[in-house]
């Protein structure tokens, strides 16, 4: 079915994607599966992952190609995971037409498979791997520019496309300590919960200054950045007031807060 066929508006999601061992967690996979069971079935999925920064903005393979195992030092079975989702050439063409302008080129990388920020949560949420998936790179980590990209992509939601920003709500592996949840992680998570509930986009855009422990929670901002593509897709459709946290809590000290708009 063409992604341009009319249909109901899909939600926009931001999820904390975890690492390959997420599959072995006793709770989190079930939370992701329960979430997807409540969603309308997408005609296609557009993923913006923390693990693909590429400028100019790039589109991944539109045919099924091998996954990108972009992690090191894990047991061998994590490198055997497969997720042979169909490509999404029609969605790719829509994204090209939507985002490409005279000053904003869009490139294709036809051999680039889904990275773990994309396939790790998709394995739990849509295990049949029967929904076309397109991954779109982050051409910048600038929150405002990503918000603008999300705004431009928002009309795809009315065509049955599930827009997913995939990151981690707090992400500072170097500052983690054995056992417990660090104060910087819990404080940032609580601040982010309140900012999202209030639809405070300005505070979120300036999170390094408006949040407690923002620079500790995200010393490099790539895992928070996908949120802004989601926020743009929500704001343009008037959904910011309808945002809700679907998953919360912590995993190895990191906030796994995941939110849905619409």
């Amino acid at each position: 079915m063409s992604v341009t066929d009319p249909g109901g508006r899909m939600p926009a999601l931001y999820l904390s994607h975890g690492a390959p061992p997420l599959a072995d967690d006793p709770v989190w996979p079930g939370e992701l599966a329960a979430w997807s069971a409540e969603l309308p079935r997408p005609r296609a999925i557009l993923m913006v992952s923390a693990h693909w920064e590429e400028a100019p903005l790039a589109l991944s393979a539109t045919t099924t190609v091998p996954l990108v195992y972009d992690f090191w030092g894990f047991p061998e079975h994590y490198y055997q995971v497969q997720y042979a989702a169909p490509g999404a050439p029609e969605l790719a063409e829509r994204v090209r037409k939507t985002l490409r302008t005279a000053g904003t080129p869009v490139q294709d990388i036809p051999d680039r498979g889904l990275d773990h920020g994309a396939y790790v949560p998709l394995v739990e949420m849509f295990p049949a791997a029967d929904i076309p998936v397109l991954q779109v790179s982050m051409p910048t980590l600038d929150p405002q520019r990503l918000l603008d990209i999300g705004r431009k992509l928002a009309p795809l939601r009315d065509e049955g496309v599930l827009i997913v920003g995939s990151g981690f709500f707090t992400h500072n592996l170097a500052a983690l300590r054995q056992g417990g949840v660090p104060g910087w992680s819990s404080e940032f998570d609580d601040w982010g919960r309140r900012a999202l509930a209030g639809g405070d986009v300005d505070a979120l855009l300036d999170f390094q200054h408006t949040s407690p422990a923002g620079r500790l929670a995200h010393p490099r901002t790539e895992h928070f950045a996908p949120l802004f593509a989601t926020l743009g897709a929500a704001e343009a459709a008037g959904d910011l007031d309808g945002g809700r946290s679907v998953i919360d809590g912590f995993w190895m000290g990191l906030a796994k807060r995941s939110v849905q708009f619409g």
Side-chain angles (χ1 to χ4, degrees), residues 5 21 36-37 105-106 120 124-125 132 159 171 181 183 188 196 202 211:
D5 287 345
S36 65
V106 175
V120 164
E124 309 302 336
M125 298 180 78
E159 300 169 14
H171 193 266
V181 176
F188 184 89
L196 286 166
D202 289 339
S211 67

Side-chain angles (χ1 to χ4, degrees), residues 18-26 29 67-83 114-116 119-120 123-124 251-252:
L22 176 152
D24 302 324
D25 187 83
L67 299 176
V68 177
Y69 301 105
D70 53 338
F71 45 86
W72 298 267
F74 285 86
E76 181 60 27
H77 68 275
Y78 294 124
Y79 301 91
Q80 305 304 317
V81 173
Q82 300 294 317
Y83 194 78
L114 303 175
D115 60 50
H116 84 266
Y119 77 76
V120 164
V123 165
E124 309 302 336
W251 188 66
M252 298 180 64

Side-chain angles (χ1 to χ4, degrees), residues 44-47 60-61 83 85-88 91 114 118 122 131-135:
I45 299 170
L46 187 153
M47 297 287 300
S60 66
Y83 194 78
L91 176 56
L114 303 175
L122 289 178
I131 298 172
V133 179
L134 178 73
Q135 190 168 342

Side-chain angles (χ1 to χ4, degrees), residues 15 50 53 60 83 107 111 124 151 158 164-165 178 209 211 224-226 232 253 262:
L15 55 80
E53 298 173 50
S60 66
Y83 194 78
Q107 61 174 322
D111 59 350
E124 309 302 336
R151 288 168 174 159
D158 291 323
V164 182
Q178 192 70 27
H209 300 101
S211 67
F224 203 55

Side-chain angles (χ1 to χ4, degrees), residues 22-23 25-37 124-125 247 256:
L22 176 152
D25 187 83
V27 175
W28 201 355
E31 291 176 322
L32 288 167
W35 188 6
S36 65
E124 309 302 336
M125 298 180 78
I247 296 174
K256 60 181 187 178

Side-chain angles (χ1 to χ4, degrees), residues 7-202:
R9 175 177 294 166
M10 291 298 299
L13 314 182
Y14 169 82
L15 55 80
S16 295
H17 62 241
L22 176 152
D24 302 324
D25 187 83
V27 175
W28 201 355
E31 291 176 322
L32 288 167
W35 188 6
S36 65
E38 296 176 354
L39 297 172
R41 179 176 171 83
R43 294 190 174 121
I45 299 170
L46 187 153
M47 297 287 300
V48 179
S49 162
H51 295 281
W52 194 18
E53 298 173 50
E54 185 83 36
L57 185 142
L59 307 181
S60 66
T62 56
T63 59
T64 304
V65 300
L67 299 176
V68 177
Y69 301 105
D70 53 338
F71 45 86
W72 298 267
F74 285 86
E76 181 60 27
H77 68 275
Y78 294 124
Y79 301 91
Q80 305 304 317
V81 173
Q82 300 294 317
Y83 194 78
E90 293 179 349
L91 176 56
E93 184 58 27
R94 289 283 288 115
V95 172
R96 287 187 203 100
K97 291 179 179 178
T98 299
L99 296 182
R100 181 180 285 157
T101 65
T104 309
V106 175
Q107 61 174 322
D108 291 276
I109 303 183
D111 59 350
R112 212 273 184 185
L114 303 175
D115 60 50
H116 84 266
Y119 77 76
V120 164
L122 289 178
V123 165
E124 309 302 336
M125 298 180 78
F126 303 100
D130 58 353
I131 298 172
V133 179
L134 178 73
Q135 190 168 342
V136 177
S137 77
M138 292 191 296
T140 176
L141 295 181
D142 178 67
Q144 185 62 59
R145 287 183 61 192
L146 291 169
L147 189 79
D148 291 341
I149 288 171
R151 288 168 174 159
K152 292 177 181 177
L153 294 173
L156 296 174
R157 295 175 54 198
D158 291 323
E159 300 169 14
V161 178
L162 180 66
I163 296 176
V164 182
S166 176
F168 222 135
F169 206 70
T170 60
H171 193 266
N172 185 345
L173 302 182
L176 291 176
R177 298 293 180 264
Q178 192 70 27
V181 176
W184 54 262
S185 188
S186 60
E187 290 169 10
F188 184 89
D189 178 62
D190 181 64
W191 169 86
R193 175 188 60 79
R194 289 182 282 108
L196 286 166
D200 193 346
V201 174
D202 289 339

Side-chain angles (χ1 to χ4, degrees), residues 196-197 239-245 259-262:
L196 286 166
D239 285 339
L240 280 181
D241 291 341
R244 64 186 180 96
S245 292
V259 296
Q260 175 176 330
F261 298 92

